[in-house]
């Protein structure tokens, strides 16, 4: 499946889930109160994102300038940033997930899981463009990784001279 199709279906499923949850919540507490609750969570998200600028990131910069490790403050800053972004997105599901990024012992673990997922996602196949390849496509397997060397079209002009 194409990456754009995956992104499209993920966004589509996200929208359907958010609409379903909003309709269910508005049926329980009323549409007006559900809308007020969403606006309140968006304001909280804005305040969290604003606080990031002044606390955690500045602490990390101070630690860096003093030669101390900055990992803990950067992880805290990243978790507050993610929770601020999730709070700003309209919907109860994203607000519920954003609350997990505010819990002190849980936010380190969640950022670790996200970074581990991204590391595993991007450590698969790599494609390098080279100007010195003699064949059109040469593939080499090196320790479970596939490296594909692609000959660029303008290499033929060098051969003609």
């Amino acid at each position: 499946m194409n990456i754009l199709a995956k992104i499209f279906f993920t966004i589509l499923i996200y929208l359907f889930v958010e609409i379903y949850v909003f309709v269910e919540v508005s049926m329980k507490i009323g549409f007006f109160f559900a809308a007020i609750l969403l606006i309140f969570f968006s304001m909280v998200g804005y305040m969290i994102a604003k606080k990031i600028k002044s606390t955690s990131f500045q602490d990390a910069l101070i630690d860096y300038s003093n030669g101390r490790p900055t990992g803990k403050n950067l992880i805290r800053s990243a978790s507050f940033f993610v929770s601020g972004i999730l709070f700003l997105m309209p919907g109860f599901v994203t607000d519920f997930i954003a609350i997990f990024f505010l819990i002190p012992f849980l936010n380190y673990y969640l950022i670790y899981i996200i970074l581990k997922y991204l590391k595993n996602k991007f450590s698969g196949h790599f494609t390098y463009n080279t100007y010195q390849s003699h064949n059109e496509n040469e593939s080499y397997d090196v320790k479970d990784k596939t490296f594909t060397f692609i000959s660029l079209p303008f290499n033929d002009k060098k051969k003609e001279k």
Side-chain angles (χ1 to χ4, degrees), residues 88-145:
L88 287 175
M89 295 173 67
F92 290 109
V93 175
T94 54
D95 294 339
F96 183 72
I97 294 170
I99 291 171
F100 287 124
F101 281 97
L102 294 178
I103 299 172
F105 64 90
L106 192 58
N107 58 7
Y108 295 112
Y109 184 69
L110 291 174
I111 294 295
Y112 171 75
I113 288 173
I114 291 171
L115 291 176
K116 187 176 178 182
Y117 171 77
L118 290 175
K119 179 184 171 191
N120 290 337
K121 189 73 172 171
F122 292 122
S123 68
H125 300 285
F126 297 96
T127 301
Y128 294 98
N129 294 329
T130 180
Y131 304 112
Q132 300 167 352
S133 177
H134 298 291
N135 296 334
E136 286 294 321
N137 291 319
E138 297 176 349
S139 295
Y140 302 99
D141 289 329
V142 180
K143 292 183 182 179
D144 298 327
K145 295 185 191 233

Side-chain angles (χ1 to χ4, degrees), residues 34-105:
I36 294 296
L37 200 57
L38 281 180
I39 291 170
F40 172 74
F41 281 137
S42 293
M43 290 172 43
V44 168
Y46 174 74
M47 288 187 289
I48 289 171
K50 189 175 179 182
K51 185 176 172 117
I52 290 170
K53 292 179 184 177
S54 62
T55 59
S56 298
F57 192 68
Q58 286 181 355
D59 290 343
L61 288 176
I62 291 170
D63 286 346
Y64 178 73
S65 65
N66 292 334
R68 294 188 301 246
T70 60
K72 191 173 187 178
N73 287 326
L74 284 177
I75 289 174
R76 188 177 346 137
S77 176
S79 67
F80 285 150
F81 179 73
V82 169
S83 77
I85 295 297
L86 289 174
F87 272 129
L88 287 175
M89 295 173 67
F92 290 109
V93 175
T94 54
D95 294 339
F96 183 72
I97 294 170
I99 291 171
F100 287 124
F101 281 97
L102 294 178
I103 299 172
F105 64 90

